[in-house]
Amino acid sequence: MTLRSRFTLFTVFWLIFILLLYNIFVYFFVIRVTTQGELTLLSSKAELVLESLRHAENQRYDDPKLLSDFYNANEMMRIVMADNTIVNEIGDTELRTFEPIFHKGISSETREINGQRIIYLTVPFYENGTLVGSIEAARRLTVLDSYLNILVGALTVTSVGAVVFAIFGTYWFTSRLTGPIGQMVQTMKEIDRSGKLQMVKLNGREESVELLQLVRAFNQMIERLDRTLEHQKSFVADASHELKTPLTIISSYADMLKRWGRDNAEVRDEAIEAIAKETERLQNLIHSMLTLAQAEQTEWLDISRFDVVKVIRELSEVLGTTFQREIKVYSDGYTVPMRADKDKIRQLLLILIDNAIKYSKQAIDVRIKPNKSGIKLEVTDYGIGVPENEIPYMFERFYRVDTARHRTTGGSGLGLSIAKKIIDMHEGKVEVYSKPGIGTTISILFPRNL
Ligand code: ATP
Ligand code: MG
């Protein structure tokens, strides 16, 4: 069952139920109020008869004038003595067929003759303190019945109208409400069919906030997927391009070796040298690519608490001895505790220091500055620097500021994109300050509460 019909059915049934309750209440309330009115009328008449009995001297109970003064059409009045005999009676013949019942107290009830409602009242009367008899009065509720007929008619018409209105109203409303859902389903089917991602278009109507949120979330997801797909495509393109260059070099040197390598020692040495170098470059490239792919897949972090100063000092020592470079570590505290993924932070610093080593000749400064908002790590070198307009692209995959220049340094252009991934995973912020010929500082701020 569609959401629309469900909603319509539910609303209509609910409405019918409420209307039914309401109509029943109105019907009985009107009956009660009007009968009460009629009863008051009848009892005041009986009261008047009693009054005239009391005041007139020697008034006899069977005097026809006693009742005829108060009698109206559609009514019956009579005087019943204590022994149940009727001494005086006037009015509607049909009403007179009621058996007389002597009551000691005032009593009233509604009866029915041929489906018509009748109100019946008895009022006792006394003489010198002893109970003598009672006055009985009955009245047909014809006016009330005709009013009730009108009321029932009116209630039926309005109720049916309300239900019809509700059916159309709810149907229209839910159509509007579920419209975007239908559109989303349509778009999903279209995506499934064509294999091309697309967003749900809203036709500018005012939709409910929740549905707008749903559509927006869907569109955001599609946008992200689209971006990821685009990224992947460009990654594959870039990667194959990057892999092709060293492979072409290797294969052409191998060709050269095959042709002249046996006789010419110089050619042989050059080829072996080049092949070895390019193979190493390939190895590095593939290693970086795998690292990046891994970083992209695993979103989780292995968080632990460690002393970041110690990690940086150890790393600087190893890199300093390996590359025969001076790396100075400055820290605002003897130890700086940090909550993060230790291995990933180490890898990040390795990438930054590696760049500093590659792109400068002087000593390198690494600073650790804990502050209120977090921990700031800075790697500064005094080397070739990066032109300002290139800074925004440094963190892109395979990006190298000057490709020709860096073929000699052997970078693949993946280091900083891995670094960026690690920074993002730790919700950190990165800033680059660089001037060509003067140097570069890369500053990263890690939030304290990860
Ligand atoms: P690798 O993947 O081996 O690290 P890479 O160093 O070329 O290769 P990235 O570390 O991503 O790649 O750096 C991207 C580019 O940014 C570099 O090629 C270089 O041009 C520039 N760059 C990065 N760090 C520095 C720096 N400290 N000084 C000058 N240029 C830099
Ligand atoms: Mg690098």
Side-chain angles (χ1 to χ4, degrees), residues 355-356 358-359 381 384-386 394 399-401 406 411-416 440:
N355 280 352
K358 270 196 293 195
Y359 307 115
D381 66 67
I384 56 170
V386 184
M394 282 171 72
Y399 191 84
R400 277 164 299 189
V401 171
H406 292 312
S412 62
L414 284 176
L416 283 183
T440 309

Side-chain angles (χ1 to χ4, degrees), residues 93-352:
T93 37
E94 215 168 13
L95 296 182
R96 280 158 75 161
T97 54
F98 282 138
E99 281 294 310
I101 6 158
F102 174 73
H103 273 289
K104 283 204 176 91
I106 297 178
S107 80
S108 68
E109 60 189 67
T110 35
R111 300 182 178 181
E112 249 180 50
I113 295 184
N114 306 330
Q116 202 190 28
R117 245 185 300 271
I118 281 141
I119 185 154
Y120 200 88
L121 170 82
T122 57
V123 183
F125 62 89
Y126 299 82
E127 213 169 70
N128 304 326
T130 46
L131 188 66
V132 182
S134 66
I135 296 175
E136 287 189 12
R139 181 177 160 87
R140 283 180 197 271
L141 300 177
T142 31
V143 182
L144 169 67
D145 279 352
S146 63
Y147 280 163
L148 277 184
N149 281 344
I150 294 171
L151 181 73
V152 168
L155 286 179
T156 315
V157 168
T158 45
S159 300
V160 169
V163 168
V164 169
F165 196 75
I167 291 174
F168 282 108
T170 331
Y171 200 76
W172 172 80
F173 180 67
T174 42
S175 306
R176 266 198 68 146
L177 210 64
T178 54
I181 297 179
Q183 247 170 324
M184 265 169 68
V185 172
Q186 201 60 37
T187 312
M188 283 180 206
K189 277 187 190 155
E190 186 64 28
I191 291 171
D192 192 34
R193 196 184 56 75
S194 66
K196 253 194 259 159
L197 292 178
Q198 45 180 283
M199 297 196 188
V200 178
K201 284 177 225 77
L202 285 174
N203 20 355
R205 284 186 307 185
E206 246 189 63
E207 311 289 359
S208 61
V209 179
E210 291 86 347
L211 279 173
L212 271 182
Q213 277 170 346
L214 182 68
V215 171
R216 276 210 201 109
F218 179 81
N219 283 350
Q220 259 166 20
M221 184 190 75
I222 292 288
E223 211 179 294
R224 236 182 80 138
L225 274 177
D226 205 29
R227 237 183 295 139
T228 315
L229 271 179
E230 242 356 271
H231 250 73
Q232 243 154 24
K233 262 193 239 160
S234 70
F235 180 72
V236 171
D238 292 345
S240 52
H241 176 83
E242 291 296 321
L243 288 169
K244 222 157 53 191
T245 323
L247 282 175
T248 315
I249 296 172
I250 289 171
S251 88
S252 50
Y253 272 110
D255 260 1
M256 225 166 86
L257 263 185
K258 254 194 269 169
R259 262 181 248 166
W260 302 297
R262 261 179 279 272
D263 318 315
N264 195 334
E266 212 176 298
V267 169
R268 194 174 53 209
D269 288 347
E270 189 195 328
I272 289 170
E273 181 71 22
I275 288 172
K277 215 173 125 199
E278 290 304 318
T279 312
E280 195 194 323
R281 183 197 291 279
L282 261 182
Q283 263 172 347
N284 285 340
L285 183 65
I286 287 166
H287 177 75
S288 299
M289 275 164 58
L290 284 179
T291 313
L292 190 62
Q294 231 170 20
E296 221 127 88
Q297 267 169 12
T298 50
E299 280 284 337
W300 53 270
L301 294 171
D302 185 10
I303 303 275
S304 63
R305 205 177 149 85
F306 58 92
D307 176 18
V308 69
V309 180
K310 193 173 163 220
V311 170
I312 292 178
R313 279 195 202 283
E314 279 171 10
L315 184 66
S316 306
E317 201 144 324
V318 172
L319 290 175
T321 13
T322 315
F323 292 98
Q324 285 300 302
R325 293 286 297 269
E326 195 187 346
I327 303 169
K328 290 186 262 179
V329 180
Y330 303 94
S331 170
D332 286 358
Y334 183 70
T335 58
V336 174
M338 182 175 184
R339 258 179 62 78
D341 188 321
K342 189 176 165 185
D343 287 340
K344 293 207 168 68
I345 296 294
R346 215 182 111 90
Q347 192 185 11
L348 165 70
L349 282 154
L350 177 69
I351 289 166
L352 297 183

Side-chain angles (χ1 to χ4, degrees), residues 359-370:
Y359 307 115
S360 78
K361 294 207 163 64
Q362 269 120 295
I364 293 153
D365 297 334
V366 183
R367 292 191 172 80
I368 303 147
K369 301 174 174 174

